[in-house]
Amino acid sequence: MLDVAATPMTGDRIKVLIVDDSASVRTVLSDILSSDAAIEVMQPASDPYVAAERIRKQIPDVIILDIEMPRMDGLTFLKKLRAQLPVPVIICSSIAETGSETLMKALEAGATDYITKPRVDTAQSLQESRMHICDAAKAAAHVQLNGQRKVAPPPIKVESKLTADAVIAPLTPTRLASLGARTPKTEPVICIGASTGGTEALREVLVGLPADAPGIVIVQHMPEKFTEAFARRLDAMCGMTISEARNGDTIAPGKVLIAPGNLHMMLRRNANRYSVDIVEGPLVSRHRPSVDVLFRSAAHCAAGNAVGFLLTGMGDDGAQGLLEMRQAGAMTYAQDEASSVVFGMPGAAVEKDAATRVVPLGRVAAEIAGFRRTIDERQTDK
């Protein structure tokens, strides 16, 4: 077993250790991370044994870990590390691009997040890779492991970003005023947004739901091509039918649709039924798919027939959209801080007064299961 006992690091910047057998990947990742003033890159490691030597000298705030490496694979190292040190680990591997079962096992073993290898084929790809990788490292530094952090990381500086206006028109005051009277009674639609820590949070919620629970649409920040494997994994565990969303898919009781990575998902109403539109577009709140885009579309076309849940995650994606859902008459919830891996997104919603209620993760499934009855009661009282 690797002995990684070490001295904790100190300082204002987030210390990141890269563990990857590819020299070129180590170089690109180092350059990307070093470009952010909030991050300091430690001397990279070519495999877990070298990484253990680095950690014995000083404990990093975050580890970025490849899966396929010589001498010891990343999954084995992750399990050994997790048994000894509460250091957040981000998986960075080409495996993520094929939705490998190994990556799912890494998340279940305690990996905090997942990113794909950086793309440098175009200037836009490089810029988006830089944004995702640096954001993931900063988010991981704020993660609570075993109810505590090794360090108090510096606050994240909010950088410029596009709002949901870039994909879907905002709700005007006139539109908001008319929603309650013009939205016909339909099946309830559950809209959920999550990011860092969301894969395990969603698993806990969905496993706890009956097979005939209301239809659910989910935006979880994750890489392209990974959402299909994630959906398959959840489908095998849950009573509801879970799949990666396709353009035009209908929302129905007992069905869960997960937005595909690198595409936005929006709600559409067709008479008394709902479906989803899967669309391209720019990053919104620094993400694609964006929770804000889904939530705003729900405010537009579902209004009081919808419910929004904003779960664990760094940043503020979804907070404005949740507020718009509440203004449109929807019931809205934010996960509480105690049960959140990162209280960024739900915390931003609480600050905006966007949430009707703040609940622990363990209550979310019960709230969803009872939502159909709540909608019926509200519409009966009108």
Side-chain angles (χ1 to χ4, degrees):
M1 186 172 186
L2 295 180
D3 177 10
V4 292
T7 302
M9 301 200 75
T10 60
D12 295 331
R13 292 194 291 171
I14 298 166
K15 311 300 190 300
V16 178
L17 174 63
I18 299 165
V19 187
D20 197 299
D21 66 308
S22 168
S24 61
V25 171
R26 294 196 301 272
T27 299
V28 173
L29 282 174
S30 295
D31 289 346
I32 286 174
L33 291 163
S34 297
S35 70
D36 193 306
I39 297 172
E40 179 179 333
V41 180
M42 296 172 57
Q43 184 180 356
S46 57
D47 66 35
Y49 289 95
V50 177
E53 291 296 326
R54 304 271 190 271
I55 296 170
R56 286 191 191 101
K57 296 176 182 178
Q58 286 185 306
I59 300 175
D61 300 331
V62 176
I63 295 174
I64 294 181
L65 178 66
D66 188 17
I67 289 289
E68 295 181 313
M69 290 181 289
R71 298 212 288 172
M72 181 185 293
D73 64 89
L75 180 58
T76 300
F77 179 61
L78 172 63
K79 292 177 179 178
K80 293 179 180 295
L81 181 72
R82 186 60 70 239
Q84 299 177 62
L85 289 174
V87 177
V89 174
I90 300 170
I91 299 301
C92 179
S93 175
S94 57
I95 284 180
E97 297 170 1
T98 58
S100 168
E101 189 76 8
T102 303
L103 182 58
M104 292 303 306
K105 291 178 180 178
L107 291 169
E108 292 170 359
T112 299
D113 210 343
Y114 37 83
I115 54 177
T116 56
K117 300 281 188 178
R119 292 180 57 189
V120 297
D121 49 328
T122 68
Q124 180 177 347
S125 295
L126 178 58
Q127 176 58 25
E128 291 190 0
S129 288
R130 177 193 174 278
M131 184 184 301
H132 290 148
I133 290 168
C134 292
D135 283 358
K138 289 185 282 188
H142 286 73
V143 164
Q144 297 187 57
L145 294 175
N146 302 327
Q148 61 180 346
R149 297 192 191 96
K150 277 299 207 181
V151 297
I156 292 179
K157 179 181 177 182
V158 178
E159 299 184 36
S160 61
K161 57 190 176 184
L162 294 177
T163 70
D165 293 3
V167 177
I168 180 172
L171 282 80
T172 63
T174 301
R175 172 65 176 161
L176 278 172
S178 68
L179 284 174
R182 296 185 181 180
T183 304
K185 179 180 179 180
T186 67
E187 288 283 351
V189 180
I190 312 299
C191 303
I192 302 177
S195 188
T196 310
T199 52
E200 283 303 293
L202 288 170
R203 180 195 60 76
E204 180 175 333
V205 169
L206 296 176
V207 166
L209 291 173
D212 62 349
I216 300 174
V217 285
I218 295 172
V219 166
Q220 162 71 43
H221 296 154
M222 57 177 56
E224 184 179 6
K225 300 181 181 180
F226 178 59
T227 41
E228 185 175 0
F230 179 54
R232 285 198 310 267
R233 185 79 166 179
L234 290 175
D235 186 61
M237 300 176 177
C238 303
M240 299 183 76
T241 299
I242 303 171
S243 62
E244 182 186 64
R246 299 289 186 267
N247 192 52
D249 279 353
T250 300
I251 300 165
K255 188 174 181 180
V256 179
L257 299 175
I258 299 176
N262 206 37
L263 292 169
H264 293 298
M265 181 169 69
M266 299 190 296
L267 211 62
R268 176 184 292 275
R269 190 178 78 230
N270 306 293
N272 291 336
R273 305 288 290 179
Y274 294 96
S275 61
V276 294
D277 288 340
I278 306 300
V279 300
E280 297 180 345
L283 300 178
V284 171
S285 296
R286 301 171 70 83
H287 294 285
R288 185 177 52 238
S290 163
V291 183
D292 271 330
V293 170
L294 173 64
F295 282 3
R296 176 175 288 182
S297 70
H300 266 292
C301 66
N305 294 321
V307 64
F309 285 89
L310 195 54
L311 306 183
T312 176
M314 179 55 67
D316 63 0
D317 186 30
Q320 177 61 32
L322 196 72
L323 176 61
E324 293 173 7
M325 288 183 69
R326 181 174 188 178
Q327 292 170 337
M331 298 173 66
T332 55
Y333 295 79
Q335 184 178 346
D336 71 357
E337 184 170 11
S339 65
S340 294
V341 173
V342 181
F343 193 53
M345 286 161 49
V350 171
E351 288 182 5
K352 285 180 174 287
D353 196 27
T356 310
R357 294 184 61 192
V358 179
V359 297
L361 182 64
R363 281 291 308 164
V364 173
E367 295 289 343
I368 292 174
F371 184 58
R372 187 194 308 275
R373 183 185 68 253
T374 303
I375 285 289
D376 290 343
E377 290 173 353
R378 290 173 63 192
Q379 292 177 332
T380 299
D381 291 342
K382 286 183 179 180

